[in-house]
Amino acid sequence: MLDKERMPRHVAIIMDGNGRWAKKRGLPRVAGHNAGMKTMKKIVDHSDKLGIEYLTVYAFSTENWKRSIAEVSGIFKLLVTYVNSELKELVENNVKVTVLGDYRQIPSDAEKSLEKTLEATKNNTGLRFNIALNYGSRDEIRRAVEEIARGVQAGNLNPEDITEDTISAHLFTGKLHLDIPDPELVIRTSGELRLSNYLLWQTAYSELVFSDVLWPDFSPEEYEKAIEEYQSRDRRFGGR
C-alpha cells in the first residue's frame, strides 16, 4: 500500500526492454518501441493520478544514433504519433512537457511536433513530464563546464566561487534552464543494472529500483511496486 505522505516528488525512468519484448514475439524492434510508447502513456497518466510532481523518461540517448537507420527513424515517427495523438489530453490534464537534451538534432518533423507540444503546454502547472531526448549525461556535464568556463573567461565568475550548486544550475535540469529537482527514485526496467549515462550528476543520492519486467509490460501495478520499494528504504544521505 502506497504511503501518500512519502511519495517521491521526482521519478526518473530508464525505459528498457522494447527490443527484447519484440524479439520474444518475432516482431520487428519498432513494434517493441510502439508497445513501449503505449506503456509510457499509462505511466504518465498514473504519475499524474499519484500526485508525482516530476516524471523524467529516457526516450533517446546520444548513443542511440548508433542503431540502424530503420530503428532510429521508427522511434522518431512514433514520437510524432504520440505527440499528435496525446497533445489534447496533455493540455486538458494540465501536464507540462519539457525536454532534456539537444533535441534540435532530431528529424525536422519530430522537432516541429515536439515544439508544438512545448508551446501548447508551457503554461501548465500540473505534472512536469520531462523527456530526455538526444540526451547523454556526460555531454550535459561537458556543456555545463563549457558554460561556466565562458563565464570565467568573460570575468562574470571567479574560479574559487564555483560550487556544486554552480554546476547543478548549468545542467539541463538546472535553475538556469528548467529548475528541476534531483530525482528521489530512478527505475530501470528489463533487468539491466546500470544507469547508462543517465542523470549521473543528479542521481548521486537517488534510490535505484531495478525491475526484471520489460518496459512494454511495465504496468501501473509494477510502477506502484517500485514506489513501494522506494518507500520501504531509509534514506540517510551519508548519515548514520
Side-chain angles (χ1 to χ4, degrees), residues 3 7 10 29-30 42 47 55 58 74 91 113 115 117 124 136 161 170 194 203 215 220 224 236 240:
D3 182 349
M7 198 67 67
H10 183 182
R29 288 179 65 87
V30 72
K42 292 177 186 176
S47 296
L55 174 69
Y58 206 5
V91 172
S113 292
E115 288 188 334
T117 301
N124 289 353
D161 293 331
H170 285 80
R194 57 181 178 273
T203 57
W215 176 248
E224 289 196 12
R236 295 186 296 276
R240 297 181 65 183

Side-chain angles (χ1 to χ4, degrees), residues 2 25 42 46 64 70-71 73 89-90 108 111 118 120 124 135 149 156 161 170-171 174 176 181-182 191 203 230 236:
L2 290 178
R25 291 160 177 75
K42 292 177 186 176
H46 205 59
N64 287 158
E71 183 176 358
S73 175
E89 186 174 336
L90 289 169
S108 59
E111 181 184 348
L118 297 176
N124 289 353
Y135 172 88
N156 299 323
D161 293 331
H170 285 80
L171 299 174
L176 297 183
D182 293 343
T203 57
Y230 159 81
R236 295 186 296 276

